Amino acid sequence: MRRRTFLQGVAGTAAGLALAACTADRVSTAPARRLVVAHGATTLSGTVEAAAVDVAAGAVLELDPDVSTTLTVTGNVVVEGLLRMRPRRPDVVHTLRFRDVDESRFVGGGGYPVATDVGLWVVGAGALDLAGTPRAGWNRTGRDPSWRAGDLLLRAPQDRGDFATYRTHTPGVPVPVVEGPDGSRHPTEVFDLTRNVVVEGAPGARAHVFVSSTSPQRVRHVLFRWLGPRRRVAQDAFHHAGVTPGRLGASTEAEYPPGYFSAASAAASEPVLGRYPLHFHHCGEGSRGTLVEGCVVRDSSRAFVPHGSHGITLRDCVAFRIRDDAYWWDERHPTDDLLWEHCAAFDVRHDPVGSGSPAGFLLGLGRGTTIRDCVAVGVHGGTGAAGFAWPAFASDRPDNQWVARDLVAHNCAGDGLYVWQDDNRPHRVADVVGYRNGGSGLVHGAHRNGYRYAGVVLFDNAYADLYHLALNRDDAAGEGQRWTGVWAPHLLLGAHGQDARRPVRFLDAHVERLTVDETGQGAGAYELHADLAPSAVTVLQQRSRIELVGPDGSAGTV
């Protein structure tokens, strides 16, 4: 029979203790400075303290599945074997807590564990088996059988001009609903922040989770809190590290939007490189099959970071009160076969608030990438801040095409959806909704591209419902840029930086007001199929040819 070591109430700062399988079923130990699981399986039960923890390859460290257990550590937890936290009952709580973390000492970067960079490190062939009691992450009904009495349920803001108020919610209380111009109904979101598996630091003393393993991970229904250390930066630092003002180096690539490098985008603090709440770091093919489901990252710096790690699924996850991009990875490193499904970002900000260009979801580089049934609410920032962002750095790359559908962005202080790319590939975006945002519902830039939209509902946005900037690409596949089934009461045609001959086509469009303000040097063509009265058109500056086609086929020009 395989023996297992049980530790109860280990605390203090005495000499280090090496642990392995032993002949006793349960033992008590003297206080330990360092917990080393060299081989076999060790179970911790109750309140356990250690200066650091090492789980060797082939060894197992688990928290007692039948007893609420807290492991408090002041140094690194390094897992080359298996860390298991799987309570058997909802009333059993497992907590891994990092205490007395000094963020000012963090070095950052990749590679192997660094003593000053306190957190959970999963390296070699190490694996996490973390599974709390299943709870639905969020929905729009305001109730779910998995939600339990005492859970912290919050309701996202939906009132016009409210970008920050999250109210507690009681199941059974009606969820507020707004109606779109097409008659569609849009309830706001309710999300559950309670989990009974917890990995946490403390406010101002944030640890991190770093996974660089050849093994797939299972992380389900876990709360990650007070993670992702930050450092103060000079006033000339900007939100996206590693990029400089101007073009990206190739003439076909998009310039960064105006104001992106302005003083309003300067940062007061930034994330420590590579030290994030849940970071998969260059796992490559080793992460294929990894599942992150029903997890919450809150009160942290960034949230979910699948960086150069392929084949990861994030499903029904929630990011809340996040500094900088919530769902993100480094700009120059592709992540392939990634799925973001039914995930949510609430209250995403830069430091200082109102500056920078954070995104709830930043759609970076990779092949086989999919985002569907996701929502972003309450994203704050300057130019380019948005619920969903297709960024300039991914422009004109062969590995920048996402399958994107069923996306909702509302009550963001900036824009709902923000595209800033130039290329001729047929990017497809379907069934998106943007409403009551402080900027535009959807900003489409930069200069020319071949995006194809279908099923777009945008309404009640402060600046414009659809702010259109990028013209069609003459070398795009098929007919190039096309919009089908668009509801945008206020369509604003803005400045163009380049010329285009092929028209941008809006088919089955529902527009109540068209504003033309083409202040740039570029000119193109539009074909707008909509029932739009001439009195609903305002021309401030016009450079493009704009053809209006009525429901009966009659045509005219602006």
PDB file of all heavy atoms in Angstrom, residues 349-384:
ATOM      1  N   ARG A 349      -8.654  48.938 -15.802  1.00  0.00           N
ATOM      2  CA  ARG A 349      -8.142  50.311 -15.767  1.00  0.00           C
ATOM      3  C   ARG A 349      -6.634  50.338 -15.973  1.00  0.00           C
ATOM      4  O   ARG A 349      -5.958  49.327 -15.828  1.00  0.00           O
ATOM      5  CB  ARG A 349      -8.471  50.977 -14.425  1.00  0.00           C
ATOM      6  CG  ARG A 349      -9.952  50.997 -14.088  1.00  0.00           C
ATOM      7  CD  ARG A 349     -10.190  51.405 -12.652  1.00  0.00           C
ATOM      8  NE  ARG A 349     -11.614  51.361 -12.330  1.00  0.00           N
ATOM      9  CZ  ARG A 349     -12.333  52.416 -11.953  1.00  0.00           C
ATOM     10  NH1 ARG A 349     -11.761  53.587 -11.839  1.00  0.00           N
ATOM     11  NH2 ARG A 349     -13.617  52.292 -11.681  1.00  0.00           N
ATOM     12  N   HIS A 350      -6.138  51.506 -16.279  1.00  0.00           N
ATOM     13  CA  HIS A 350      -4.712  51.777 -16.353  1.00  0.00           C
ATOM     14  C   HIS A 350      -4.338  52.556 -15.095  1.00  0.00           C
ATOM     15  O   HIS A 350      -5.189  52.889 -14.273  1.00  0.00           O
ATOM     16  CB  HIS A 350      -4.419  52.580 -17.623  1.00  0.00           C
ATOM     17  CG  HIS A 350      -2.969  52.753 -17.933  1.00  0.00           C
ATOM     18  ND1 HIS A 350      -2.063  51.722 -17.908  1.00  0.00           N
ATOM     19  CD2 HIS A 350      -2.262  53.856 -18.281  1.00  0.00           C
ATOM     20  CE1 HIS A 350      -0.864  52.175 -18.232  1.00  0.00           C
ATOM     21  NE2 HIS A 350      -0.956  53.463 -18.463  1.00  0.00           N
ATOM     22  N   ASP A 351      -3.068  52.816 -14.917  1.00  0.00           N
ATOM     23  CA  ASP A 351      -2.600  53.647 -13.804  1.00  0.00           C
ATOM     24  C   ASP A 351      -1.812  54.818 -14.389  1.00  0.00           C
ATOM     25  O   ASP A 351      -0.766  54.609 -15.001  1.00  0.00           O
ATOM     26  CB  ASP A 351      -1.717  52.817 -12.875  1.00  0.00           C
ATOM     27  CG  ASP A 351      -1.222  53.619 -11.677  1.00  0.00           C
ATOM     28  OD1 ASP A 351      -1.836  54.665 -11.379  1.00  0.00           O
ATOM     29  OD2 ASP A 351      -0.223  53.212 -11.064  1.00  0.00           O
ATOM     30  N   PRO A 352      -2.264  56.070 -14.254  1.00  0.00           N
ATOM     31  CA  PRO A 352      -3.470  56.472 -13.525  1.00  0.00           C
ATOM     32  C   PRO A 352      -4.743  56.186 -14.323  1.00  0.00           C
ATOM     33  O   PRO A 352      -4.701  56.029 -15.547  1.00  0.00           O
ATOM     34  CB  PRO A 352      -3.280  57.979 -13.352  1.00  0.00           C
ATOM     35  CG  PRO A 352      -2.419  58.377 -14.502  1.00  0.00           C
ATOM     36  CD  PRO A 352      -1.492  57.220 -14.748  1.00  0.00           C
ATOM     37  N   VAL A 353      -5.845  56.114 -13.598  1.00  0.00           N
ATOM     38  CA  VAL A 353      -7.134  55.836 -14.214  1.00  0.00           C
ATOM     39  C   VAL A 353      -7.455  56.927 -15.241  1.00  0.00           C
ATOM     40  O   VAL A 353      -7.219  58.109 -15.014  1.00  0.00           O
ATOM     41  CB  VAL A 353      -8.236  55.775 -13.133  1.00  0.00           C
ATOM     42  CG1 VAL A 353      -9.603  55.609 -13.789  1.00  0.00           C
ATOM     43  CG2 VAL A 353      -7.965  54.627 -12.175  1.00  0.00           C
ATOM     44  N   GLY A 354      -7.982  56.507 -16.376  1.00  0.00           N
ATOM     45  CA  GLY A 354      -8.321  57.455 -17.425  1.00  0.00           C
ATOM     46  C   GLY A 354      -7.215  57.653 -18.437  1.00  0.00           C
ATOM     47  O   GLY A 354      -7.398  58.361 -19.426  1.00  0.00           O
ATOM     48  N   SER A 355      -6.057  57.017 -18.225  1.00  0.00           N
ATOM     49  CA  SER A 355      -4.957  57.125 -19.178  1.00  0.00           C
ATOM     50  C   SER A 355      -4.720  55.756 -19.802  1.00  0.00           C
ATOM     51  O   SER A 355      -5.359  54.770 -19.481  1.00  0.00           O
ATOM     52  CB  SER A 355      -3.685  57.603 -18.469  1.00  0.00           C
ATOM     53  OG  SER A 355      -3.215  56.600 -17.574  1.00  0.00           O
ATOM     54  N   GLY A 356      -3.737  55.682 -20.713  1.00  0.00           N
ATOM     55  CA  GLY A 356      -3.366  54.408 -21.294  1.00  0.00           C
ATOM     56  C   GLY A 356      -4.428  53.849 -22.224  1.00  0.00           C
ATOM     57  O   GLY A 356      -5.448  54.479 -22.503  1.00  0.00           O
ATOM     58  N   SER A 357      -4.187  52.645 -22.707  1.00  0.00           N
ATOM     59  CA  SER A 357      -5.120  52.018 -23.649  1.00  0.00           C
ATOM     60  C   SER A 357      -5.367  50.567 -23.269  1.00  0.00           C
ATOM     61  O   SER A 357      -5.135  49.661 -24.070  1.00  0.00           O
ATOM     62  CB  SER A 357      -4.552  52.101 -25.073  1.00  0.00           C
ATOM     63  OG  SER A 357      -3.241  51.536 -25.107  1.00  0.00           O
ATOM     64  N   PRO A 358      -5.833  50.316 -22.057  1.00  0.00           N
ATOM     65  CA  PRO A 358      -6.103  48.930 -21.665  1.00  0.00           C
ATOM     66  C   PRO A 358      -7.296  48.355 -22.428  1.00  0.00           C
ATOM     67  O   PRO A 358      -8.162  49.088 -22.905  1.00  0.00           O
ATOM     68  CB  PRO A 358      -6.401  49.034 -20.171  1.00  0.00           C
ATOM     69  CG  PRO A 358      -6.937  50.423 -19.998  1.00  0.00           C
ATOM     70  CD  PRO A 358      -6.181  51.262 -20.984  1.00  0.00           C
ATOM     71  N   ALA A 359      -7.331  47.041 -22.516  1.00  0.00           N
ATOM     72  CA  ALA A 359      -8.435  46.340 -23.153  1.00  0.00           C
ATOM     73  C   ALA A 359      -8.915  45.229 -22.234  1.00  0.00           C
ATOM     74  O   ALA A 359      -8.124  44.635 -21.498  1.00  0.00           O
ATOM     75  CB  ALA A 359      -8.007  45.758 -24.492  1.00  0.00           C
ATOM     76  N   GLY A 360     -10.207  44.971 -22.287  1.00  0.00           N
ATOM     77  CA  GLY A 360     -10.691  43.788 -21.599  1.00  0.00           C
ATOM     78  C   GLY A 360     -10.098  42.543 -22.234  1.00  0.00           C
ATOM     79  O   GLY A 360      -9.581  41.651 -21.549  1.00  0.00           O
ATOM     80  N   PHE A 361     -10.141  42.497 -23.580  1.00  0.00           N
ATOM     81  CA  PHE A 361      -9.585  41.392 -24.345  1.00  0.00           C
ATOM     82  C   PHE A 361      -8.714  41.988 -25.448  1.00  0.00           C
ATOM     83  O   PHE A 361      -9.208  42.733 -26.291  1.00  0.00           O
ATOM     84  CB  PHE A 361     -10.682  40.548 -24.981  1.00  0.00           C
ATOM     85  CG  PHE A 361     -11.599  39.868 -23.996  1.00  0.00           C
ATOM     86  CD1 PHE A 361     -12.661  40.559 -23.425  1.00  0.00           C
ATOM     87  CD2 PHE A 361     -11.410  38.536 -23.643  1.00  0.00           C
ATOM     88  CE1 PHE A 361     -13.517  39.944 -22.517  1.00  0.00           C
ATOM     89  CE2 PHE A 361     -12.258  37.910 -22.743  1.00  0.00           C
ATOM     90  CZ  PHE A 361     -13.309  38.610 -22.170  1.00  0.00           C
ATOM     91  N   LEU A 362      -7.423  41.667 -25.447  1.00  0.00           N
ATOM     92  CA  LEU A 362      -6.522  42.116 -26.496  1.00  0.00           C
ATOM     93  C   LEU A 362      -6.263  40.933 -27.423  1.00  0.00           C
ATOM     94  O   LEU A 362      -5.676  39.927 -27.010  1.00  0.00           O
ATOM     95  CB  LEU A 362      -5.212  42.630 -25.910  1.00  0.00           C
ATOM     96  CG  LEU A 362      -4.346  43.413 -26.893  1.00  0.00           C
ATOM     97  CD1 LEU A 362      -4.942  44.808 -27.109  1.00  0.00           C
ATOM     98  CD2 LEU A 362      -2.914  43.537 -26.412  1.00  0.00           C
ATOM     99  N   LEU A 363      -6.689  41.046 -28.669  1.00  0.00           N
ATOM    100  CA  LEU A 363      -6.635  39.936 -29.609  1.00  0.00           C
ATOM    101  C   LEU A 363      -5.299  39.955 -30.330  1.00  0.00           C
ATOM    102  O   LEU A 363      -5.126  40.615 -31.352  1.00  0.00           O
ATOM    103  CB  LEU A 363      -7.811  40.010 -30.591  1.00  0.00           C
ATOM    104  CG  LEU A 363      -9.159  39.497 -30.050  1.00  0.00           C
ATOM    105  CD1 LEU A 363      -9.672  40.361 -28.913  1.00  0.00           C
ATOM    106  CD2 LEU A 363     -10.190  39.425 -31.159  1.00  0.00           C
ATOM    107  N   GLY A 364      -4.333  39.221 -29.761  1.00  0.00           N
ATOM    108  CA  GLY A 364      -2.966  39.244 -30.242  1.00  0.00           C
ATOM    109  C   GLY A 364      -2.700  38.230 -31.335  1.00  0.00           C
ATOM    110  O   GLY A 364      -3.606  37.746 -32.022  1.00  0.00           O
ATOM    111  N   LEU A 365      -1.430  37.890 -31.481  1.00  0.00           N
ATOM    112  CA  LEU A 365      -0.981  37.047 -32.575  1.00  0.00           C
ATOM    113  C   LEU A 365      -1.169  35.563 -32.265  1.00  0.00           C
ATOM    114  O   LEU A 365      -0.998  35.132 -31.125  1.00  0.00           O
ATOM    115  CB  LEU A 365       0.494  37.310 -32.863  1.00  0.00           C
ATOM    116  CG  LEU A 365       0.839  38.712 -33.389  1.00  0.00           C
ATOM    117  CD1 LEU A 365       2.350  38.887 -33.451  1.00  0.00           C
ATOM    118  CD2 LEU A 365       0.217  38.942 -34.758  1.00  0.00           C
ATOM    119  N   GLY A 366      -1.471  34.791 -33.295  1.00  0.00           N
ATOM    120  CA  GLY A 366      -1.586  33.352 -33.156  1.00  0.00           C
ATOM    121  C   GLY A 366      -2.453  32.778 -34.261  1.00  0.00           C
ATOM    122  O   GLY A 366      -3.263  33.482 -34.879  1.00  0.00           O
ATOM    123  N   ARG A 367      -2.285  31.496 -34.511  1.00  0.00           N
ATOM    124  CA  ARG A 367      -3.101  30.791 -35.490  1.00  0.00           C
ATOM    125  C   ARG A 367      -4.154  29.966 -34.763  1.00  0.00           C
ATOM    126  O   ARG A 367      -3.903  29.433 -33.689  1.00  0.00           O
ATOM    127  CB  ARG A 367      -2.229  29.897 -36.362  1.00  0.00           C
ATOM    128  CG  ARG A 367      -1.160  30.655 -37.154  1.00  0.00           C
ATOM    129  CD  ARG A 367      -0.334  29.707 -38.015  1.00  0.00           C
ATOM    130  NE  ARG A 367       0.789  30.392 -38.642  1.00  0.00           N
ATOM    131  CZ  ARG A 367       0.733  31.056 -39.793  1.00  0.00           C
ATOM    132  NH1 ARG A 367      -0.413  31.117 -40.446  1.00  0.00           N
ATOM    133  NH2 ARG A 367       1.793  31.651 -40.286  1.00  0.00           N
ATOM    134  N   GLY A 368      -5.323  29.850 -35.375  1.00  0.00           N
ATOM    135  CA  GLY A 368      -6.378  29.051 -34.776  1.00  0.00           C
ATOM    136  C   GLY A 368      -6.946  29.655 -33.508  1.00  0.00           C
ATOM    137  O   GLY A 368      -7.399  28.932 -32.618  1.00  0.00           O
ATOM    138  N   THR A 369      -6.960  30.985 -33.406  1.00  0.00           N
ATOM    139  CA  THR A 369      -7.445  31.674 -32.214  1.00  0.00           C
ATOM    140  C   THR A 369      -8.938  31.983 -32.357  1.00  0.00           C
ATOM    141  O   THR A 369      -9.388  32.450 -33.409  1.00  0.00           O
ATOM    142  CB  THR A 369      -6.661  32.963 -31.963  1.00  0.00           C
ATOM    143  OG1 THR A 369      -6.585  33.704 -33.193  1.00  0.00           O
ATOM    144  CG2 THR A 369      -5.240  32.652 -31.506  1.00  0.00           C
ATOM    145  N   THR A 370      -9.683  31.758 -31.279  1.00  0.00           N
ATOM    146  CA  THR A 370     -11.132  31.951 -31.303  1.00  0.00           C
ATOM    147  C   THR A 370     -11.577  32.660 -30.031  1.00  0.00           C
ATOM    148  O   THR A 370     -11.127  32.325 -28.931  1.00  0.00           O
ATOM    149  CB  THR A 370     -11.862  30.598 -31.394  1.00  0.00           C
ATOM    150  OG1 THR A 370     -11.486  29.935 -32.600  1.00  0.00           O
ATOM    151  CG2 THR A 370     -13.372  30.784 -31.380  1.00  0.00           C
ATOM    152  N   ILE A 371     -12.450  33.627 -30.195  1.00  0.00           N
ATOM    153  CA  ILE A 371     -13.110  34.269 -29.062  1.00  0.00           C
ATOM    154  C   ILE A 371     -14.600  34.279 -29.352  1.00  0.00           C
ATOM    155  O   ILE A 371     -15.027  34.719 -30.424  1.00  0.00           O
ATOM    156  CB  ILE A 371     -12.561  35.690 -28.796  1.00  0.00           C
ATOM    157  CG1 ILE A 371     -13.287  36.329 -27.605  1.00  0.00           C
ATOM    158  CG2 ILE A 371     -12.627  36.565 -30.040  1.00  0.00           C
ATOM    159  CD1 ILE A 371     -12.652  37.630 -27.135  1.00  0.00           C
ATOM    160  N   ARG A 372     -15.394  33.772 -28.394  1.00  0.00           N
ATOM    161  CA  ARG A 372     -16.838  33.740 -28.621  1.00  0.00           C
ATOM    162  C   ARG A 372     -17.579  33.829 -27.296  1.00  0.00           C
ATOM    163  O   ARG A 372     -17.102  33.368 -26.261  1.00  0.00           O
ATOM    164  CB  ARG A 372     -17.231  32.478 -29.384  1.00  0.00           C
ATOM    165  CG  ARG A 372     -16.954  31.165 -28.691  1.00  0.00           C
ATOM    166  CD  ARG A 372     -17.321  29.988 -29.586  1.00  0.00           C
ATOM    167  NE  ARG A 372     -17.062  28.709 -28.965  1.00  0.00           N
ATOM    168  CZ  ARG A 372     -16.440  27.691 -29.558  1.00  0.00           C
ATOM    169  NH1 ARG A 372     -16.003  27.822 -30.798  1.00  0.00           N
ATOM    170  NH2 ARG A 372     -16.265  26.557 -28.920  1.00  0.00           N
ATOM    171  N   ASP A 373     -18.743  34.454 -27.377  1.00  0.00           N
ATOM    172  CA  ASP A 373     -19.629  34.589 -26.221  1.00  0.00           C
ATOM    173  C   ASP A 373     -18.902  35.210 -25.041  1.00  0.00           C
ATOM    174  O   ASP A 373     -18.890  34.682 -23.929  1.00  0.00           O
ATOM    175  CB  ASP A 373     -20.204  33.219 -25.836  1.00  0.00           C
ATOM    176  CG  ASP A 373     -21.283  33.327 -24.753  1.00  0.00           C
ATOM    177  OD1 ASP A 373     -21.867  34.421 -24.614  1.00  0.00           O
ATOM    178  OD2 ASP A 373     -21.513  32.320 -24.041  1.00  0.00           O
ATOM    179  N   CYS A 374     -18.278  36.363 -25.272  1.00  0.00           N
ATOM    180  CA  CYS A 374     -17.536  37.063 -24.220  1.00  0.00           C
ATOM    181  C   CYS A 374     -18.090  38.473 -24.039  1.00  0.00           C
ATOM    182  O   CYS A 374     -18.738  39.021 -24.934  1.00  0.00           O
ATOM    183  CB  CYS A 374     -16.043  37.123 -24.551  1.00  0.00           C
ATOM    184  SG  CYS A 374     -15.219  35.501 -24.493  1.00  0.00           S
ATOM    185  N   VAL A 375     -17.818  39.056 -22.880  1.00  0.00           N
ATOM    186  CA  VAL A 375     -18.338  40.381 -22.555  1.00  0.00           C
ATOM    187  C   VAL A 375     -17.268  41.207 -21.869  1.00  0.00           C
ATOM    188  O   VAL A 375     -16.439  40.676 -21.121  1.00  0.00           O
ATOM    189  CB  VAL A 375     -19.596  40.280 -21.656  1.00  0.00           C
ATOM    190  CG1 VAL A 375     -19.260  39.655 -20.306  1.00  0.00           C
ATOM    191  CG2 VAL A 375     -20.252  41.644 -21.469  1.00  0.00           C
ATOM    192  N   ALA A 376     -17.284  42.502 -22.150  1.00  0.00           N
ATOM    193  CA  ALA A 376     -16.390  43.450 -21.490  1.00  0.00           C
ATOM    194  C   ALA A 376     -17.210  44.654 -21.036  1.00  0.00           C
ATOM    195  O   ALA A 376     -17.964  45.232 -21.817  1.00  0.00           O
ATOM    196  CB  ALA A 376     -15.270  43.894 -22.419  1.00  0.00           C
ATOM    197  N   VAL A 377     -17.047  45.024 -19.771  1.00  0.00           N
ATOM    198  CA  VAL A 377     -17.796  46.127 -19.174  1.00  0.00           C
ATOM    199  C   VAL A 377     -16.835  46.962 -18.330  1.00  0.00           C
ATOM    200  O   VAL A 377     -15.986  46.417 -17.615  1.00  0.00           O
ATOM    201  CB  VAL A 377     -18.941  45.610 -18.278  1.00  0.00           C
ATOM    202  CG1 VAL A 377     -19.762  46.772 -17.730  1.00  0.00           C
ATOM    203  CG2 VAL A 377     -19.833  44.630 -19.030  1.00  0.00           C
ATOM    204  N   GLY A 378     -16.975  48.279 -18.407  1.00  0.00           N
ATOM    205  CA  GLY A 378     -16.250  49.145 -17.490  1.00  0.00           C
ATOM    206  C   GLY A 378     -14.765  49.225 -17.740  1.00  0.00           C
ATOM    207  O   GLY A 378     -13.978  49.265 -16.792  1.00  0.00           O
ATOM    208  N   VAL A 379     -14.347  49.278 -19.012  1.00  0.00           N
ATOM    209  CA  VAL A 379     -12.936  49.484 -19.332  1.00  0.00           C
ATOM    210  C   VAL A 379     -12.679  50.985 -19.390  1.00  0.00           C
ATOM    211  O   VAL A 379     -13.375  51.719 -20.087  1.00  0.00           O
ATOM    212  CB  VAL A 379     -12.562  48.814 -20.664  1.00  0.00           C
ATOM    213  CG1 VAL A 379     -11.093  49.073 -21.003  1.00  0.00           C
ATOM    214  CG2 VAL A 379     -12.831  47.310 -20.587  1.00  0.00           C
ATOM    215  N   HIS A 380     -11.659  51.445 -18.661  1.00  0.00           N
ATOM    216  CA  HIS A 380     -11.336  52.872 -18.557  1.00  0.00           C
ATOM    217  C   HIS A 380      -9.972  53.133 -19.183  1.00  0.00           C
ATOM    218  O   HIS A 380      -9.066  52.315 -19.054  1.00  0.00           O
ATOM    219  CB  HIS A 380     -11.285  53.311 -17.091  1.00  0.00           C
ATOM    220  CG  HIS A 380     -12.547  53.074 -16.335  1.00  0.00           C
ATOM    221  ND1 HIS A 380     -13.365  54.102 -15.919  1.00  0.00           N
ATOM    222  CD2 HIS A 380     -13.137  51.928 -15.908  1.00  0.00           C
ATOM    223  CE1 HIS A 380     -14.406  53.599 -15.263  1.00  0.00           C
ATOM    224  NE2 HIS A 380     -14.282  52.278 -15.246  1.00  0.00           N
ATOM    225  N   GLY A 381      -9.800  54.291 -19.824  1.00  0.00           N
ATOM    226  CA  GLY A 381      -8.491  54.624 -20.362  1.00  0.00           C
ATOM    227  C   GLY A 381      -8.556  55.773 -21.336  1.00  0.00           C
ATOM    228  O   GLY A 381      -9.573  56.463 -21.462  1.00  0.00           O
ATOM    229  N   GLY A 382      -7.438  55.971 -22.055  1.00  0.00           N
ATOM    230  CA  GLY A 382      -7.346  57.021 -23.047  1.00  0.00           C
ATOM    231  C   GLY A 382      -7.572  56.466 -24.437  1.00  0.00           C
ATOM    232  O   GLY A 382      -8.378  55.560 -24.645  1.00  0.00           O
ATOM    233  N   THR A 383      -6.829  56.974 -25.415  1.00  0.00           N
ATOM    234  CA  THR A 383      -6.983  56.558 -26.805  1.00  0.00           C
ATOM    235  C   THR A 383      -6.745  55.058 -26.948  1.00  0.00           C
ATOM    236  O   THR A 383      -5.729  54.537 -26.501  1.00  0.00           O
ATOM    237  CB  THR A 383      -5.992  57.317 -27.695  1.00  0.00           C
ATOM    238  OG1 THR A 383      -6.252  58.717 -27.583  1.00  0.00           O
ATOM    239  CG2 THR A 383      -6.122  56.887 -29.141  1.00  0.00           C
ATOM    240  N   GLY A 384      -7.666  54.365 -27.555  1.00  0.00           N
ATOM    241  CA  GLY A 384      -7.509  52.944 -27.799  1.00  0.00           C
ATOM    242  C   GLY A 384      -8.004  52.049 -26.696  1.00  0.00           C
ATOM    243  O   GLY A 384      -7.994  50.820 -26.846  1.00  0.00           O
TER     244      GLY A 384
END
